[in-house]
Amino acid sequence: MRLLFLGLVALLAYFLLRKLLKNYQFSRKNQVIDTRRMVRCAHCGIFLPESEALTEGSHNFCCREHRELAKSDKG
Ligand SMILES: [Zn+2]
C-alpha cells in the first residue's frame, strides 16, 4: 500500500514537472520572438531589431541621421 502511494506521488510530481517545463519553454519562446521583432526604417527602408531602432512618433529609424532627415523632409 505504501509503495502504491509513493508511485502515485511520483506520477503526480512527474506530470506537474512536465507542465511547468512546458510553460517555461513556452514563455522562453515568446521572449525570443519579442526580442527579434524587426522594424523598418521609415527613411531608407532597412530592417533592424526593434530594440536597436530609434522611434519618432509612430515611425522607426535605423540611425539618428535618418531620423533627422525624415524630420526635415516634412519641413
Ligand atoms: Zn535608415
Side-chain angles (χ1 to χ4, degrees):
M1 193 62 200
R2 202 169 165 184
L3 208 75
L4 195 78
F5 178 71
L6 272 174
L8 221 91
V9 168
L11 204 76
L12 209 81
Y14 169 74
F15 276 118
L16 214 77
L17 239 127
R18 235 173 64 143
K19 204 177 162 180
L20 277 173
L21 209 76
K22 215 173 169 178
N23 279 348
Y24 175 70
Q25 280 172 343
F26 183 71
S27 61
R28 255 176 70 113
K29 218 176 183 174
N30 272 359
Q31 221 171 14
V32 168
I33 289 166
D34 225 34
T35 51
R36 282 190 187 166
R37 207 172 130 186
M38 304 293 272
V39 292
R40 195 164 173 255
C41 174
H43 184 75
C44 65
I46 202 169
F47 281 93
L48 69 157
E50 195 177 27
S51 55
E52 287 174 31
L54 295 165
T55 47
E56 178 76 34
S58 58
H59 295 289
N60 298 290
F61 300 96
C62 65
C63 56
R64 215 163 55 191
E65 283 79 16
H66 286 178
R67 191 173 64 177
E68 298 305 315
L69 276 169
K71 252 197 230 173
S72 56
D73 272 358
K74 281 178 198 163

